[in-house]
Amino acid sequence: MTGRCVIAIDAGTTGVRSRAVFTDGRPSIGSYREFTQHYPEPGWVEHDADEIWEAARHTLNSVVGEVVGLDDVDGVAAIGITNQRETILAWNRTTGRPYGTAIVWQDRRTADRCDQLTADGHLPLVREHTGLVLDPYFSGTKAEWLLANREIPVDDDLAIGTIDTWLIWKLTHGAVFATDVTNASRTMLCDIRSRSWDPDLCTLLHVPIAALPTIVPSSGRIGTTDERAGVPGDIPISGVAGDQQAALFGQACIAPGMAKNTYGTGSFVLLNVGETCPPPTEGMLTTVAWTLADGTTHYALEGSIFATGAAIQWLRDGISIIESAAEAGPLAESVDDTGGVYVVPAFAGLGSPWWDPYARGTIVGITRGTGRAEITRAVVESMAYQTRDVIDAMTTASGTPIVDLRVDGGASVMDLLCQFQADQLGVTVQRPADQETTALGAAFLAGLAEGVWPDLAAVGDQWELDADFTPAPDRTVADALHAQWLRAVERSRAWIPH
């Protein structure tokens, strides 16, 4: 093999992709495997942690085997891990068996508990210490629910962790029980200024600190793989970040004021705000962007949108308007507009800036002339509208305008979406040549720790532009469309009685 590579394990919401990123300019090599989505009750979403691990193990072995061979891993400099963030599970450290399924970030079963905590006056504590809001999206109330509703012994063998922790633990054959600071910052159990578990919040949510993993930097050697886990041994695990922070790093948004949006299952806008943790910002989340091996920490403002790509999946799997996700773009482009149709994909409530777990999906403006293309285009446009809602709130609260927006994720391949987004925001939208920026970010964090890339400037040099989209100079039409969108949003809000 000529040149070294870093392998990223990207454990997303619907599947795991492992990808080799080379340092000598060769095209990357990847492997992907989906896993099952479980919906035991309305509003509940679960995953089988063992199935996630098998997907990770299979794809990692496939990539290593193709790159260097399973018995010769000298060419692999490191492994980086990125993951769906707020999904959480509990397992037994001795047996290695999970205590049932993992509760997924989309799950809304703890909405009433969050309401109770808010009514009891705990929101200011949560906002100040974690930068988050009291919402079932985050891991803390999910962990509390697990301990209260399953027969889980609270003893020295109890492990509670997010998917990064589970994969690290499995890859090291149980030798390392750790999470990185970005994932910890999404649990509602971590003080984001001290970057440590918060005793007050753990007590409030009845989560024993002893059952939580050690918090480590996002870049820096955490451990090495163990062949007893069924993977090649002795590969350093040196980078870990939640998927959206990894995408921010993969988009080379390494300076304050740089922003990205990932159109994945949901969409997530992150703005790098530098090394000072800002105060709580209305409608936005404050989160740790990353901590490097030398302790340098950057923070980010984040707006979280629960359903964008998920709405495309719904068109395919829920109402069979399309047969594949790839059809969405061409079908949407086949009509000039939606004919006044708006789709608010609040399947699991609304995230930023509304934070309404009781909202539900809505289609308004249907006429007898409405067809597949209009509904599909309305779904595509809903991604841009939701992103505008977040960025409008973010820039208003922070006083920092976004000069341009770097985009990635599956839906970013649609020129229609990128141009519509630029028109809605009034800023240039930039799409990188390599759109798998989540995996790239994990690889960059791991490679930075192992000297594959010498510094942040070298990471920035890896970013390449594919296309940019300039907004229309006249915003009259864009603003009128957005005003109608906001009317549709109001009709979706507080739909479930509570």
Side-chain angles (χ1 to χ4, degrees):
M1 170 184 174
T2 58
R4 305 177 83 199
C5 75
V6 178
I7 296 178
I9 301 175
D10 183 355
T13 304
T14 57
V16 179
R17 182 182 304 278
S18 291
R19 177 185 175 188
V21 178
F22 294 96
T23 61
D24 60 3
R26 280 186 291 164
S28 66
I29 293 172
S31 175
Y32 179 74
R33 175 177 282 193
E34 286 192 359
F35 50 77
T36 309
Q37 308 295 304
H38 300 275
Y39 307 100
E41 294 188 27
W44 292 26
V45 191
E46 298 178 354
H47 289 158
D48 183 324
D50 285 327
E51 189 181 3
I52 292 175
W53 161 242
E54 281 304 312
R57 189 182 65 83
H58 171 83
T59 57
L60 174 63
N61 285 346
S62 176
V63 170
V64 172
E66 189 170 352
V67 172
V68 295
L70 295 177
D71 299 322
D72 177 18
V73 296
D74 289 343
V76 180
I79 289 172
I81 296 172
T82 183
N83 58 288
Q84 46 166 318
R85 296 176 296 180
E86 296 81 8
T87 299
I88 198 161
L89 69 149
W91 68 93
N92 184 293
R93 298 191 215 193
T94 296
T95 66
R97 294 175 182 168
Y99 291 112
T101 49
I103 302 180
V104 180
W105 62 270
Q106 299 160 310
D107 190 283
R108 313 304 288 171
R109 74 186 66 184
T110 62
D112 289 343
R113 173 59 170 152
C114 291
D115 287 346
Q116 177 191 338
L117 290 165
T118 300
D120 291 344
H122 297 297
L123 179 58
L125 172 69
V126 170
R127 292 289 283 144
E128 179 61 30
H129 286 218
T130 71
L132 308 177
V133 296
L134 272 166
D135 189 89
Y137 174 32
F138 305 107
S139 314
T141 54
K142 293 179 172 70
E144 182 185 43
W145 189 96
L146 284 172
L147 295 176
N149 291 276
R150 295 183 183 169
E151 295 181 1
I152 299 176
V154 179
D155 55 24
D156 291 344
D157 281 336
L158 175 61
I160 299 172
T162 44
I163 298 300
D164 62 311
T165 301
W166 172 243
L167 293 181
I168 293 166
W169 193 83
K170 294 292 285 186
L171 286 166
T172 62
H173 197 62
V176 179
F177 182 50
T179 188
D180 98 293
V181 65
T182 68
N183 280 289
S185 76
R186 309 296 295 188
T187 60
M188 212 159 67
L189 300 169
C190 175
D191 185 308
I192 59 172
R193 290 176 179 82
S194 66
R195 301 183 295 284
S196 61
W197 299 121
D198 189 299
D200 293 337
L201 290 169
C202 288
T203 298
L204 176 66
L205 296 178
H206 308 99
V207 177
I209 288 183
L212 297 174
T214 301
I215 299 175
V216 299
S218 314
S219 181
R221 187 176 295 193
I222 299 166
T224 56
T225 58
D226 190 315
E227 62 183 10
R228 291 174 294 176
V231 297
D234 299 322
I235 303 175
I237 303 168
S238 302
V240 181
D243 51 10
Q244 303 313 317
Q245 289 95 330
L248 186 70
F249 203 77
Q251 283 277 33
C253 293
I254 54 179
M258 302 182 75
K260 72 91 193 173
N261 186 27
T262 297
Y263 302 97
T265 304
S267 281
F268 302 86
V269 183
L270 269 72
L271 171 67
N272 185 334
V273 295
E275 296 183 43
T276 301
C277 182
T281 303
E282 186 64 31
M284 294 294 107
L285 307 176
T286 306
T287 195
V288 178
W290 53 74
T291 296
L292 302 182
D294 64 2
T296 300
T297 298
H298 275 221
Y299 292 89
L301 287 181
E302 175 173 335
S304 302
I305 302 164
F306 292 157
T308 49
I312 299 292
Q313 294 171 337
W314 170 73
L315 291 176
R316 181 192 66 191
D317 303 331
I319 58 175
S320 301
I321 279 182
I322 57 176
E323 292 185 2
S324 70
E327 292 178 32
L331 183 58
E333 286 190 274
S334 70
V335 291
D336 292 333
D337 55 51
T338 68
V341 174
Y342 290 82
V343 176
V344 182
F347 305 130
L350 289 169
S352 303
W354 316 107
W355 294 110
D356 182 356
Y358 303 103
R360 286 298 179 267
T362 305
I363 306 177
V364 297
I366 295 174
T367 68
R368 185 62 183 84
T370 300
R372 308 169 52 232
E374 286 80 10
I375 291 175
T376 300
R377 184 172 181 122
V379 165
V380 172
E381 290 185 359
S382 76
M383 301 183 192
Y385 290 133
Q386 291 181 94
T387 301
R388 174 172 172 174
D389 291 344
V390 166
I391 290 179
D392 283 353
M394 185 179 287
T395 55
T396 298
S398 68
T400 304
I402 294 177
V403 178
D404 53 42
L405 182 70
R406 293 185 173 182
V407 298
D408 55 70
S412 67
V413 301
M414 290 189 277
D415 288 354
L416 169 65
L417 172 61
C418 293
Q419 185 60 58
F420 195 80
Q421 187 72 84
D423 292 339
Q424 280 296 313
L425 294 176
V427 301
T428 299
V429 169
Q430 296 183 321
R431 184 173 64 202
D434 190 334
Q435 294 172 39
E436 291 186 13
T437 56
T438 305
L440 269 182
F444 289 158
L445 287 165
L448 190 65
E450 298 296 332
V452 175
W453 292 282
D455 51 34
L456 287 176
V459 170
D461 290 342
Q462 300 297 306
W463 193 87
E464 295 181 20
L465 178 70
D466 170 58
D468 54 17
F469 300 84
T470 304
D474 185 352
R475 294 182 51 76
T476 304
V477 172
D479 288 344
L481 292 172
H482 184 249
Q484 284 288 88
W485 158 260
L486 292 178
R487 292 182 65 206
V489 169
E490 283 305 310
R491 283 155 176 77
S492 77
R493 296 193 63 193
W495 185 255
I496 301 298
H498 65 284

